[in-house]
Amino acid sequence: MNPFQFDDFLRLPHKLKITVRKFVVTQFMLCYIPEELAMKFGIGTGTVKSWVARFIAGGMGALDDRPGTGRPRILTEEHAQWIFHTVVDKNLRQLKFEFAYWTVQRVRRAFIDEFGIDASRCAIRRVMRRLRLTPQKPRFRAFQHRMGQVARWIDTTFPEIKQEAEREGALIMFADETGMHSDYHVRRTWGMRGQTPEVTCTGTKFRFNMLAAISPDGRIHYMLHEGAADAGRFCSFVKQVAEETGRKVRFVVDGCRIHTAREVASFLEKEFEDGHVRIHILPAYSPMLNPAELVRSHVKRMVSRKCFKTKDKLLRLLEAEFKSLRDLTDKVARLFKEPDCKYILA
């Protein structure tokens, strides 16, 4: 393969462009014709001929970059670095803005406040794209979130739970619960601009609650039910998982009241006197530490793609999705490799 063949010559660094020009002209001097050089290097024939003409008129020095035309750029490399570090490392409240999201207009306002230079939105956008900054959907984190508690959980608490589970031959399960409503719709569909497409669905309100527990090896256990999720339901689910696994189980859940209720503690003490099942609570406001959160999001997203008009249909779709995940143990295990959940496998 020719090392000097390029898909997009215009995107090459300036110094490399000059090297390519001079190399191509050198090949021309060795009796190659422009059409052959254009095909060989992936460059337009007219471009090769213009380089040859510049060389004939002014020698190799004529192939260096010419002075740019038009207005000079007002945004220097120093400005670009300031924009990059401001967007990546700071939030709007640090700059005394009342907004929570960066937009091109807000970056422009912050830039003008900092340097007093009235740069256009187009100029700011070009620099941001060159810096590989893109508009993205952010991950949300509660302001009550405590980094100290999270660090203690990751560095001390969970490793101790893991060591104890390995010593006792227990299975660690991360559990969570959620509800699936009949009017839950998050998908998009194509249509004519200015004409919002319509999708027929049911107007009846109904829902099912889901409890799911997953382990790092890809196992998944679930329970579907109508009515509110309460401590009694959670106790039933804990007993179901313990019976299905046939092993000691260590549940890791969030601090929801149905997990910390006295009824749950009494149930464990009565049903599993030998510590066969224990429950460990995650740090407050830290759902990202629980990969079971990703299971419920996946199930709701997949089911919302389907059309269901009755409770029975919704129940069948939920059952089918969970059964599919039971067969896809690799897919479930990959959830533990998400950035916030890697600590589990460490």
Side-chain angles (χ1 to χ4, degrees):
M1 182 177 178
N2 190 344
F4 283 98
Q5 189 168 10
F6 305 98
D7 295 329
D8 194 345
F9 176 79
L10 294 177
R11 292 184 179 271
L12 295 180
H14 292 302
K15 291 184 178 179
L16 185 54
K17 287 181 180 180
I18 296 171
T19 302
V20 174
R21 290 174 194 150
K22 294 181 177 180
F23 186 82
V24 170
V25 170
T26 302
Q27 295 291 297
F28 173 79
M29 295 168 62
L30 296 175
C31 300
Y32 283 92
I33 62 175
E35 290 77 10
E36 189 176 359
L37 289 171
M39 183 177 297
K40 182 177 181 181
F41 295 99
I43 301 171
T45 303
T47 301
V48 175
K49 289 181 178 179
S50 68
W51 292 348
V52 172
R54 287 166 61 178
F55 166 72
I56 294 174
M60 281 294 182
L63 297 175
D64 293 334
D65 278 343
R66 298 172 177 173
T69 60
R71 292 185 301 173
R73 292 182 178 179
I74 63 174
L75 299 182
T76 65
E77 191 60 32
E78 177 187 354
H79 296 149
Q81 290 303 313
W82 182 89
I83 291 173
F84 179 83
H85 289 296
T86 299
V87 173
V88 173
D89 300 332
K90 296 183 180 180
N91 60 55
L92 286 138
R93 296 188 182 275
Q94 289 176 296
L95 300 178
K96 299 182 179 179
F97 286 100
E98 291 298 321
F99 308 107
Y101 305 94
W102 281 116
T103 63
V104 173
Q105 180 61 22
R106 288 166 191 167
V107 174
R108 176 175 177 267
R109 283 181 56 184
F111 178 82
I112 294 173
D113 291 344
E114 177 70 18
F115 295 99
I117 300 175
D118 189 12
S120 67
R121 284 194 299 176
C122 291
I124 297 293
R125 184 183 291 108
R126 278 197 301 270
V127 170
M128 293 174 69
R129 286 179 175 174
R130 179 167 62 83
L131 296 172
R132 301 183 68 182
L133 297 174
T134 58
Q136 302 174 37
K137 182 179 180 180
R139 289 188 298 173
F140 292 92
R141 185 159 296 180
F143 69 87
Q144 297 96 335
H145 176 84
R146 296 289 183 266
M147 289 303 299
Q149 295 178 6
V150 172
R152 189 160 50 251
W153 169 265
I154 293 175
D155 297 334
T156 305
T157 307
F158 183 75
E160 291 175 354
I161 296 171
K162 192 173 180 181
Q163 290 175 5
E164 180 187 346
E166 291 174 352
R167 190 167 54 250
E168 298 181 357
L171 182 65
I172 297 178
M173 303 289 294
F174 286 78
D176 189 38
E177 64 281 322
T178 188
M180 180 72 188
H181 293 261
S182 58
D183 57 354
Y184 181 82
H185 305 293
V186 296
R187 308 304 302 176
R188 296 189 178 191
T189 186
W190 288 83
M192 289 286 293
R193 177 174 295 185
Q195 299 180 19
T196 304
E198 293 183 358
V199 176
T200 303
C201 61
T202 180
T204 306
K205 304 294 183 181
F206 52 85
R207 63 172 284 168
F208 282 96
N209 281 319
M210 306 174 282
L211 293 98
I214 60 174
S215 62
D217 59 1
R219 305 185 194 188
I220 182 169
H221 301 268
Y222 67 94
M223 174 187 285
L224 303 174
H225 65 88
E226 290 187 79
D230 53 21
R233 294 281 188 185
F234 180 65
C235 291
S236 299
F237 180 61
V238 167
K239 185 176 182 179
Q240 173 188 314
V241 175
E243 292 175 349
E244 290 177 353
T245 59
R247 294 172 56 183
K248 292 183 177 180
V249 183
R250 302 292 178 260
F251 283 94
V252 179
V253 295
D254 58 32
C256 177
R257 61 183 179 179
I258 71 171
H259 303 147
T260 58
R262 291 182 181 179
E263 181 180 344
V264 176
S266 301
F267 168 78
L268 294 178
E269 185 177 350
K270 178 181 178 180
E271 193 75 25
F272 305 102
E273 297 180 357
D274 57 350
H276 192 82
V277 174
R278 293 179 187 167
I279 293 177
H280 302 278
I281 306 299
L282 286 161
Y285 302 100
S286 303
M288 69 285 181
L289 299 177
N290 189 352
E293 293 268 352
L294 303 175
V295 172
R296 64 102 175 262
S297 298
H298 169 81
V299 171
K300 293 176 72 172
R301 183 172 62 252
M302 297 302 293
V303 172
S304 67
R305 296 178 176 181
K306 314 287 177 59
C307 180
F308 50 86
K309 299 181 180 180
T310 63
K311 287 196 296 185
D312 290 341
K313 178 64 174 178
L314 175 57
L315 179 60
R316 289 197 299 271
L317 290 174
L318 291 171
E319 285 274 4
E321 196 57 43
F322 275 111
K323 288 179 180 178
S324 174
L325 288 176
R326 273 192 167 174
D327 297 332
L328 301 173
T329 55
D330 291 344
K331 186 170 185 176
V332 176
R334 280 200 299 271
L335 299 178
F336 290 85
K337 297 180 181 180
E338 290 295 314
D340 289 324
C341 300
K342 286 183 178 180
Y343 76 93
I344 300 169
L345 304 177

